[in-house]
Amino acid sequence: MACDVTYTKAAERDKERIVAYLLYERESPRDAQRFLAELDRLVENLSRMPEMYPRAADGRAAEAGYRKAGFRSYVALYRIVGDVVEVDRVFHAKQDYARLL
């Protein structure tokens, strides 16, 4: 069963910030393209198998029922709401994302 995958406004901002950082701070259009391609693959996976990634085990993320999907050097926190997968945030894996929620 395929699910729709949506981004919250916060996740959209996260995505834009990461791309801007890769493009302008790191001056790496290639890394920005790779990030977006990997994120697209993640969304495809979530659409087909939303429960394939583990539940978050960290603080507020766990309490809120998030699942944690790692890709490249990033983490996407998402929830399954009925037939919709809602990507709530996207962070660099080194960030304390549980604290930032």
Side-chain angles (χ1 to χ4, degrees), residues 6-7 12 15 17-18 20 26 37 48 70-72 82 94:
T6 63
Y7 291 93
E12 285 287 351
K15 184 171 88 167
R17 286 180 186 143
I18 291 167
R26 299 252 332 260
R48 288 183 284 131
F71 65 104
R72 294 201 61 156
K94 290 184 179 181

Side-chain angles (χ1 to χ4, degrees), residues 37-48:
E38 289 292 324
L39 187 57
D40 286 345
R41 275 189 223 116
L42 172 69
V43 167
E44 186 178 314
N45 287 340
L46 291 176
S47 172
R48 288 183 284 131

Side-chain angles (χ1 to χ4, degrees), residues 2-99:
C3 295
D4 288 330
V5 179
T6 63
Y7 291 93
T8 63
K9 288 180 183 180
E12 285 287 351
R13 279 192 309 272
D14 293 339
K15 184 171 88 167
E16 290 170 5
R17 286 180 186 143
I18 291 167
V19 168
Y21 170 78
L22 293 171
L23 285 173
Y24 304 114
E25 297 294 320
R26 299 252 332 260
E27 298 181 356
S28 182
R30 190 171 114 189
D31 284 347
Q33 289 173 339
R34 284 182 181 167
F35 167 77
L36 291 171
E38 289 292 324
L39 187 57
D40 286 345
R41 275 189 223 116
L42 172 69
V43 167
E44 186 178 314
N45 287 340
L46 291 176
S47 172
R48 288 183 284 131
M49 298 174 287
E51 295 181 349
M52 74 180 286
Y53 296 98
R55 292 185 186 275
D58 315 24
R60 287 188 282 186
E63 292 169 13
Y66 285 106
R67 289 183 176 270
K68 180 172 104 173
F71 65 104
R72 294 201 61 156
S73 298
Y74 300 93
V75 173
L77 295 180
Y78 71 96
R79 290 185 264 200
I80 303 167
V81 183
D83 291 339
V84 176
V85 175
E86 192 173 86
V87 178
D88 285 1
R89 296 300 304 262
V90 181
F91 296 104
H92 191 277
K94 290 184 179 181
Q95 287 180 283
D96 185 1
Y97 53 85
R99 183 184 61 77

